[in-house]
Amino acid sequence: EAEFYTLDADERRLRWRAFKASILVPLNRDLSIRLFEGLFWGHVLLVPEELPAFDAVITPTQAEALGILRYPLGGSFGDLDLLARRAIRRFDEEGAEGVRRRRDFVLAGHTLAQRVGAFLGFLTDLAERRCPVSLIDDGTRRGLVAADPDRPVLVNRGLVIR
């Protein structure tokens, strides 16, 4: 993976475009930026079922529309292979329209700049005491929720900030 980051931008784009599907493999049940990179490049994604941060960012309805397929972390390689084949089939069936739908989803609010900007806005409001917050602790996720319901959800290793 370190080699990937030494490539020039054109070569990196060529590599992302070479795939129809990608798998998200979290190291610590974290939500990797790879999720949004894969969607941006139009991939049909394979995402673990046991990923609470994912569910806080992408609804089941959105996941279905984006073609995201879920897999159990304890599943077999054979099951994962079948799911990967299903992902490639879905990519082929949806074609350019599916690629556009996934890319548009990212561009509508999930680029790194947008996520960092929303996070910094939340921290600024919090520091200036402009947004009362309450604590979320529902057993699967913990975090702070701002009083403003229009604030986008931000997630980092199970910490949900809205």
Side-chain angles (χ1 to χ4, degrees):
E1 183 168 306
E3 172 196 334
F4 179 80
Y5 292 103
T6 64
L7 301 173
D8 66 43
D10 289 335
E11 181 62 26
R12 278 184 275 164
R13 280 192 289 277
L14 285 172
R15 289 206 183 179
W16 272 110
R17 287 187 198 139
F19 297 96
K20 298 177 178 183
S22 54
I23 183 169
L24 189 69
V25 182
L27 299 178
N28 190 23
R29 294 174 33 132
D30 60 321
L31 189 60
S32 170
I33 192 69
R34 294 277 191 242
L35 170 78
F36 301 108
E37 288 175 325
L39 288 172
F40 179 81
W41 291 107
H43 296 184
V44 174
L45 297 180
L46 301 148
V47 177
E49 292 171 351
E50 304 85 12
L51 195 59
F54 175 87
D55 298 323
V57 175
I58 298 178
T59 69
T61 302
Q62 290 170 323
E64 173 58 34
L66 295 168
I68 294 172
L69 304 173
R70 305 296 294 268
Y71 68 91
L73 285 174
S76 71
F77 285 115
D79 290 342
L80 197 55
D81 181 59
L82 289 173
L83 198 59
R85 291 173 192 275
R86 194 169 131 208
I88 292 167
R89 205 169 33 253
R90 181 156 182 173
F91 180 95
D92 290 340
E93 290 167 0
E94 293 180 347
E97 177 56 36
V99 170
R100 271 191 297 278
R101 188 172 52 255
R102 289 183 279 277
R103 178 173 285 198
D104 288 349
F105 175 79
V106 173
L107 293 175
H110 295 284
T111 65
L112 183 58
Q114 290 163 324
R115 309 275 301 157
V116 169
F119 183 66
L120 291 174
F122 177 84
L123 291 177
T124 300
D125 288 349
L126 185 61
E128 295 177 359
R129 301 184 189 280
R130 288 193 303 230
C131 64
V133 295
S134 58
L135 181 65
I136 292 177
D137 188 354
D138 66 8
T140 61
R141 58 194 179 137
R142 293 186 179 123
L144 302 172
V145 179
D148 179 1
D150 294 327
R151 183 172 296 286
V153 175
L154 303 166
V155 180
N156 185 355
R157 294 188 185 236
L159 174 68
V160 178
I161 300 175
R162 179 180 331 183

